[in-house]
Amino acid sequence: MGIDCHIDESGWLKGARKLRSPNSDARPEDTVPDLLVIHNISLPPEQFGGPFIEQLFTNCLDADQHPYFAEIADLKVSSHILIDREGKLLQFVSLNDRAWHAGESSWQERETCNDFSIGIELEGSDNQPFTDTQYNVLVKVTEAIQGRYSGISEQRIVGHSDIAPERKTDPGPHFEWREYLAALNK
């Protein structure tokens, strides 16, 4: 798959469609990302496609469109990057800035992972496998991120469940960690 995953100086991925989320802000001074967090998301739950993830991350989700949306429509959340089921990339927040993806979290005794992490959402759920295309794109994006932010080694790529184990289960049991990590830098 010939995706250009170059990251420019301002933290935007060249191969991604850009849709800025208001749910972001500056990282703490002198903070460079050194953790990559993998998530999954589907809206409504277990359904793929449609504009709802974009609407959630841009504060435009209509609570009346689905019963579940009434629970989440007022959330102020975002991710840096979304990879949909077909492998299309959408970027909401510059990698240089703080996206609001991790919530209450900690990694290796450091609290507030949003400060020092990059969040990638895979369109999916805990209950279904991800697509081969998503893995291929995720590998390319991860390699670009690692090339730009040298502190993100394989040991510093985690699931949301690793940084918020009491609250989160994603990317879930269907995420193929071994294959994903083996594919990096082949």
Side-chain angles (χ1 to χ4, degrees):
M1 176 170 274
I3 291 181
D4 182 355
C5 286
H6 173 76
I7 299 168
D8 68 23
E9 289 296 315
S10 60
W12 293 94
L13 198 59
K14 185 174 180 184
R17 182 167 65 96
K18 187 188 305 184
L19 181 62
R20 291 181 188 265
S21 173
N23 305 324
S24 64
D25 56 4
R27 294 185 188 278
E29 192 171 332
D30 298 323
T31 300
V32 176
D34 63 5
L35 186 70
L36 180 61
V37 181
I38 310 295
H39 303 260
N40 77 46
I41 187 169
S42 59
L43 291 177
E46 304 297 328
Q47 295 180 32
F48 307 128
F52 305 119
I53 298 169
E54 293 178 26
Q55 290 174 1
L56 176 66
F57 289 167
T58 57
N59 301 337
C60 298
L61 187 64
D62 182 353
D64 295 327
Q65 288 187 310
H66 187 276
Y68 177 68
F69 295 172
E71 298 175 34
I72 65 168
D74 292 330
L75 293 177
K76 303 294 185 223
V77 295
S78 63
S79 186
H80 289 93
I81 296 168
L82 169 69
I83 303 172
D84 76 8
R85 300 297 284 181
E86 288 85 42
K88 292 181 186 134
L89 287 167
L90 181 56
Q91 187 170 356
F92 295 95
V93 177
S94 163
L95 301 180
N96 296 337
D97 292 330
R98 176 172 47 196
W100 302 347
H101 63 97
E104 186 179 328
S105 55
S106 71
W107 178 248
Q108 296 181 340
E109 299 183 23
R110 287 173 72 189
E111 301 291 320
T112 316
C113 293
N114 284 339
D115 290 351
F116 57 92
S117 67
I118 293 172
I120 298 179
E121 292 277 1
L122 297 174
E123 185 179 29
S125 74
D126 286 5
N127 303 313
Q128 299 181 52
F130 298 94
T131 68
D132 290 342
T133 301
Q134 284 180 296
Y135 284 111
N136 292 336
V137 173
L138 178 61
V139 166
K140 291 180 184 304
V141 170
T142 302
E143 289 172 347
I145 289 170
Q146 289 178 311
R148 175 93 172 160
Y149 303 100
S150 60
I152 300 178
S153 64
E154 277 188 28
Q155 295 75 31
R156 299 195 59 76
I157 300 172
V158 299
H160 199 184
S161 57
D162 296 312
I163 63 170
E166 301 296 316
R167 298 184 307 108
K168 297 296 179 176
T169 58
D170 57 312
H174 289 283
F175 187 78
E176 301 289 343
W177 281 105
R178 188 173 350 144
E179 291 82 355
Y180 161 61
L181 294 172
L184 292 175
N185 301 306
K186 266 191 167 176

